[in-house]
């Protein structure tokens, strides 16, 4: 019996377990997935928790309920991968051999990378919302905060869901309007980029929305440290931005196990072929989702499109056929803009987000790069789709793994 | 598009980055630096040459990597090329603007 071993039972790993369970010959192949946690979190929900839009129970389920029968789930901490001997070494000393390895260990925040970020003000006036604990602590803070300077900040790229910090700023604007205290809050969006987003046309649309919502933007800000005593963030050029409430997205890094395994780059992301999702260094190792270094967004939709293509490539690898170079960096993201509206963007490695219609060219019903209530409904519906379709590897009708150019205004 | 830099017609993109490194020479770098209010010193040139070498070897450039390069730390990088050192230094170096990862 040969073994496909999946590391990480988050969005990407769980989808792969479900896809492969249907596709591989069970008489020849055993599938095993490893994770140390008990809970599966709907990570996009971390954005809504601080504003009391979602409650904790809306975004937490167990890992077990999404792992299909026939795939064995092992709970435990992984020490490292030994790709030379095709073994995964567990922290308890066990060694698990594999024939094919899928790395799906994700990315997480590393606030320790920035001086002072986890100082005396951490979770008092300095918060993250990329962890459940951070997001919940921020909810409790926002419930009683009386106003002042709210600074929404990105430390450095790449980060998971690169639009989430902008969405946070937009939702904060709505939240304080609803609480009739918007006049007591200054919102500043601080980014290391030169504008609101990484791509020109979307940046133009988003910069306009920031202006409309009276959110001030400070661009090209590369943070050096957080000064807890004076409550300011300072960049390498000496620029200072004062805050009463700092909501920061710390540096994101891949799992430390990849550093221990000597398989990661300087941010612990695994060097990966951006079209086939095969590791650049080991033929029988594949990488999916946030764990890879491919220049696509670190987002659930990307992992979803990758999973369809990676499944096919694993089947080809088993049959000794050449891999398909099919992954095009496709991402599809709703951007909450507050007031019950959202934008939708659809893009890939080579095509930036533009205006148009989705998923049916010329018809919609969703409009690209334009605010609408329909897009907001789409974002809310996505939670149901995530739990009931996405994780199970069910194909989402009309949405292809590769981006469609039709219906877009280039 | 074409732009006249240091008396020569040079192909640049809409942001002013050179499209063909073969058109680059130090006088071009000097002129772009001046446009961005940077006065070039031997130390500036050292950093620019380093960036050109990295680009030639297909090393993706980021502030973090440059900070760990042992050539220059981030603080000095900012002091030499204030306000967006990577953007300005790569423009002077005649290499593409580093793609900010998504």
């Amino acid at each position: 019996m040969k073994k496909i071993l999946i590391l990480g039972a988050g969005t990407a790993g769980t989808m792969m377990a479900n896809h492969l369970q249907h596709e591989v010959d069970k008489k020849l192949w055993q599938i095993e997935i490893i994770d140390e946690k008990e809970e599966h979190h709907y990570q996009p929900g971390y954005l809504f928790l601080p504003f009391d839009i979602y409650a904790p129970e809306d975004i937490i389920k167990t890992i077990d309920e999404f792992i299909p029968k026939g795939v064995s789930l092992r709970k435990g901490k992984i020490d490292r991968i030994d790709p030379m001997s095709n073994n995964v070494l567990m922290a308890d000393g066990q060694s698990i051999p594999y024939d094919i390895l899928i790395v799906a260990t994700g990315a997480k925040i590393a606030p320790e990378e920035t001086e002072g970020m986890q100082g005396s003000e951490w979770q008092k006036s300095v918060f993250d919302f990329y962890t459940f604990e951070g997001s919940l602590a921020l909810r409790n803070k926002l419930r009683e905060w009386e106003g002042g300077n709210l600074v929404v900040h990105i430390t450095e790229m790449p980060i998971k869901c690169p639009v989430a910090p902008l969405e946070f700023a937009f939702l904060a604007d709505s939240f304080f309007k609803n609480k009739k205290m918007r006049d007591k809050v200054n919102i500043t969006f601080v980014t290391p980029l030169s504008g609101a987003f990484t791509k020109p046309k979307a940046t133009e649309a988003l910069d306009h929305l920031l202006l409309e919502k009276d959110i001030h933007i400070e661009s090209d800000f590369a943070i050096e440290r957080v000064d807890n005593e004076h409550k300011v963030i300072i960049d390498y050029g000496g620029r200072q931005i004062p805050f009463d409430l700092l909501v920061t997205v710390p540096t994101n890094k891949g799992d430390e196990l990849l550093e221990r395994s000597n398989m990661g780059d300087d941010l612990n992301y695994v060097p990966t072929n951006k079209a086939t999702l095969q590791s650049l260094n080991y033929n029988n190792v594949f990488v999916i989702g946030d764990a890879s270094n491919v220049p696509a967004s670190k987002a659930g939709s990307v992992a979803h499109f990758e999973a369809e293509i990676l499944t096919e490539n694993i089947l080809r690898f088993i049959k000794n056929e050449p891999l398909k170079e099919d992954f095009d960096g496709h991402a599809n993201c709703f951007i909450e803009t507050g007031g019950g509206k959202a934008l939708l963007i659809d893009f890939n490695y080579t095509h930036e987000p533009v205006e148009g219609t989705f998923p049916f060219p010329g018809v919609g019903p969703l409009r690209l790069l334009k605010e609408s209530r329909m897009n907001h409904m789409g974002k809310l519906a996505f939670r149901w789709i995530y739990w009931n379709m996405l994780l199970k590897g069910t194909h989402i009708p009309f949405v292809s793994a590769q981006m469609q150019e039709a219906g877009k205004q280039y | 598009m074409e732009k006249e830099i240091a008396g020569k017609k040079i192909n640049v993109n809409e942001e002013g980055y050179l499209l063909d490194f073969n058109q680059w020479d130090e006088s071009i770098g000097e002129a772009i630096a001046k446009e961005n209010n940077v006065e070039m010193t031997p130390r500036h040139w050292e950093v620019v040459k380093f960036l050109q070498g990295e680009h030639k070897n297909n090393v993706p450039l980021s502030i973090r990597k440059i900070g760990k390069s042992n050539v220059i730390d981030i603080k000095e990088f900012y002091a030499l090329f204030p306000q967006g050192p990577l953007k300005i230094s790569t423009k002077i170096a005649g290499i593409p603007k580093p793609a900010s990862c998504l």
Side-chain angles (χ1 to χ4, degrees):
Chain A
M1 201 74 159
K2 290 187 168 186
K3 184 181 275 182
I4 299 176
L5 186 56
I6 304 170
L7 305 185
T11 308
T14 302
M15 287 190 298
M16 285 312 295
N18 281 290
H19 277 295
L20 291 170
Q21 158 70 12
H22 293 296
E23 302 289 343
V24 298
D25 183 349
K26 293 307 213 334
K27 291 192 281 296
L28 300 174
W29 288 89
Q30 184 197 350
I31 306 169
E32 181 170 326
I33 186 166
I34 308 179
D35 204 299
E36 60 181 316
K37 295 183 292 298
E38 294 294 329
E39 292 172 346
H40 186 123
H41 289 195
Y42 175 59
Q43 292 184 59
Y46 296 165
L47 171 67
F48 294 107
L49 186 58
F51 303 108
D52 270 315
I53 299 171
Y54 284 167
E57 58 269 26
D58 294 327
I59 60 179
I60 299 176
K61 295 188 188 268
T62 64
I63 280 182
D64 298 52
E65 65 194 282
F66 298 99
I67 304 303
K69 281 201 182 73
V71 171
S72 54
L73 170 61
R74 180 191 292 258
K75 298 273 175 68
K77 190 175 167 54
I78 303 162
D79 176 35
R80 64 194 160 87
I81 304 163
D82 179 8
M84 303 308 283
S85 73
N86 298 325
N87 274 287
V88 167
L89 309 172
M90 301 296 290
D92 65 9
Q94 285 190 77
S95 177
I96 306 166
Y98 62 81
D99 294 283
I100 294 174
L101 184 72
I102 299 173
V103 179
T105 42
K108 56 185 174 183
I109 61 164
E112 67 279 4
E113 291 276 331
T114 306
E115 185 189 334
M117 196 170 272
Q118 279 181 312
S120 55
E121 289 298 314
W122 182 248
Q123 298 206 343
K124 291 197 182 98
S125 61
V126 178
F127 292 85
D128 82 279
F129 67 99
Y130 271 48
T131 57
F132 178 73
E133 296 71 28
S135 179
L136 191 66
L138 181 54
R139 179 196 72 178
N140 296 339
K141 175 77 178 188
L142 284 175
R143 280 178 176 176
E144 55 194 44
W145 193 53
E146 287 173 358
N149 291 316
L150 167 63
V151 172
V152 182
H153 166 252
I154 301 172
T155 301
E156 64 180 307
M157 301 304 279
I159 57 170
K160 288 200 258 198
C161 191
V163 291
L166 268 174
E167 295 181 276
F168 188 93
F170 292 145
L171 288 174
D173 168 69
S174 263
F175 176 81
F176 294 121
K177 275 180 187 148
N178 290 338
K179 284 183 93 171
K180 309 264 181 281
M181 57 179 285
R182 182 64 180 88
D183 57 334
K184 297 198 180 79
V185 180
N186 297 311
I187 307 178
T188 306
F189 183 75
V190 183
T191 170
L193 301 171
S194 304
F197 194 52
T198 51
K199 310 271 179 171
K201 284 198 180 116
T203 296
E204 212 174 287
L206 293 164
D207 277 342
H208 179 77
L209 280 174
L210 287 170
L211 194 68
E212 194 181 291
K213 294 174 196 297
D214 198 22
I215 298 167
H216 176 65
I217 178 165
E218 290 274 357
S219 55
D220 295 310
F221 188 93
I223 190 168
E224 183 186 10
R225 63 194 171 91
V226 178
D227 180 338
N228 287 270
E229 192 188 335
H230 302 98
K231 288 196 174 184
V232 289
I233 50 175
I234 304 167
D235 89 345
Y236 283 102
R239 189 162 24 145
Q240 301 201 359
I241 297 172
F243 64 85
D244 296 300
L245 178 56
L246 173 65
V247 176
T248 184
V249 180
T251 300
N252 280 203
K253 290 175 89 170
D255 201 283
E256 294 95 345
L257 103 90
L258 295 156
E259 191 177 356
R260 293 193 293 270
S261 311
N262 222 351
M263 286 174 71
D265 65 10
D266 58 340
L267 286 168
N268 299 342
Y269 297 123
V270 185
T272 304
N273 181 309
K274 68 177 195 174
T276 65
L277 306 176
Q278 186 178 39
S279 147
L280 291 181
N281 298 315
Y282 307 99
N283 278 343
N284 62 338
V285 175
F286 295 84
V287 192
I288 182 167
D290 300 347
S292 89
N293 78 335
V294 304
S297 284
K298 295 194 178 298
S301 68
V302 174
H304 164 73
F305 299 131
E306 287 176 337
E308 295 192 5
I309 286 158
L310 181 56
T311 301
E312 182 160 353
N313 272 344
I314 298 239
L315 297 176
R316 284 168 171 257
F317 183 79
I318 289 173
K319 288 186 277 189
N320 265 320
E321 288 171 8
L323 303 183
K324 266 193 162 171
E325 297 183 350
D326 264 6
F327 186 61
D328 64 353
H330 189 189
N332 179 277
C333 311
F334 290 103
I335 306 175
E336 281 292 300
T337 53
K341 291 184 181 175
L343 291 176
L344 177 63
I345 55 177
D346 194 58
F347 58 103
N348 68 10
Y349 288 139
T350 50
H351 291 74
E352 62 165 320
V354 291
E355 290 182 15
T357 46
F358 185 88
F360 302 109
V363 176
L366 302 175
R367 298 287 303 277
L368 294 170
L369 208 52
K370 286 258 192 252
E371 267 189 300
S372 78
R373 293 197 180 275
M374 185 73 126
N375 288 336
H376 171 68
M377 301 313 289
K379 175 108 181 178
L380 295 186
F382 189 72
R383 182 164 56 104
W384 188 92
I385 293 175
Y386 181 85
W387 293 124
N388 295 287
M389 295 177 74
L390 205 81
L391 288 180
K392 294 176 180 154
T394 308
H395 181 75
I396 296 174
F398 318 118
V399 182
S400 55
Q402 287 185 316
M403 195 199 75
Q404 278 191 70
E405 286 179 41
K408 296 197 171 80
Q409 296 162 22
Y410 291 112
Chain B
M1 58 194 226
E2 229 174 41
K3 186 180 170 186
E4 188 167 313
I5 306 175
K8 300 179 192 96
K9 293 228 187 299
I10 303 293
N11 291 319
V12 297
N13 70 9
E14 60 275 19
E15 288 182 298
Y17 288 82
L18 261 63
L19 294 173
D20 177 7
F21 182 68
N22 291 322
Q23 292 186 321
W24 187 89
D25 61 33
E26 286 198 6
S27 70
I28 306 279
E30 189 91 49
I32 297 174
K34 201 159 267 167
E35 253 181 62
N36 287 279
N37 304 313
V38 173
E39 193 65 49
M40 295 299 281
T41 66
R43 183 65 178 144
H44 285 88
W45 286 116
E46 218 173 298
V47 175
V48 163
K49 295 274 158 70
F50 164 69
L51 296 175
Q52 290 171 339
E54 292 288 278
H55 176 66
K56 203 171 163 190
N57 295 327
N58 291 315
V59 180
L61 295 170
S62 70
I63 296 255
R64 162 180 288 269
K65 278 194 186 138
I66 287 162
K68 287 185 174 174
S69 65
N70 293 325
V71 171
I72 185 168
D73 64 29
I74 301 176
K75 197 110 193 160
E76 191 191 355
F77 196 33
Y78 266 80
L80 292 178
F81 306 96
Q83 287 152 20
L86 197 54
K87 276 193 311 187
I88 295 170
S89 59
T90 49
K91 194 185 275 190
I92 294 170
I95 59 180
K97 184 179 173 181
S100 37
C101 305
L102 270 173

